[in-house]
């Protein structure tokens, strides 16, 4: 990995850790715990948000429709 690529990766991970700690100011963890829980959890949370936004975009474009099923929302192809 080139020095510049490594530096960008370090900055990206630092931003993820900062976002995690901003949401959970009392959190404390080891390097292994940060790697296992904070980084992966932050990515999952961001991934869920991105997926939700993408689904809502597709609903607005009338590619998908959404239906409520109890407390859950289902997305399906628009007819």
């Amino acid at each position: 990995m080139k020095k510049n690529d490594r530096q960008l990766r370090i900055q990206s991970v630092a931003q993820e850790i900062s976002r995690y700690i901003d949401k959970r100011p009392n959190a404390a963890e080891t390097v292994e715990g940060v790697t296992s829980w904070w980084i992966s959890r932050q990515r999952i949370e961001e991934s869920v948000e991105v997926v939700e936004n993408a689904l809502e975009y597709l609903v607005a474009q009338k590619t998908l429709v959404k239906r409520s099923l109890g407390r859950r929302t289902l997305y399906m192809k628009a007819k």
Side-chain angles (χ1 to χ4, degrees):
M1 181 180 292
K2 294 180 182 177
K3 184 177 180 180
N4 199 24
D5 291 341
R6 185 174 186 279
Q7 197 66 359
L8 289 173
R9 183 71 187 133
I10 290 169
Q11 289 174 355
S12 174
V13 171
Q15 289 172 346
E16 288 184 52
I17 293 168
S18 292
R19 284 191 297 271
Y20 185 94
I21 205 76
D22 284 346
K23 292 179 182 178
R24 299 162 188 87
N26 295 320
E29 193 54 81
T30 64
V31 170
E32 295 81 11
V34 168
T35 303
S36 297
W37 297 103
W38 294 11
I39 300 300
S40 61
R41 184 172 195 150
Q42 186 64 29
R43 286 184 182 156
I44 289 168
E45 289 174 358
E46 287 180 0
S47 295
V48 169
E49 183 180 343
V50 169
V51 169
E52 286 175 335
N53 288 327
L55 289 167
E56 291 302 322
Y57 171 79
L58 291 170
V59 168
Q61 297 297 311
K62 301 192 186 313
T63 301
L64 296 178
V65 294
K66 65 180 181 178
R67 299 282 184 255
S68 293
L69 182 63
R71 292 186 205 167
R72 301 175 105 185
T73 301
L74 299 177
Y75 293 86
M76 61 197 76
K77 186 173 181 175
K79 295 181 181 182

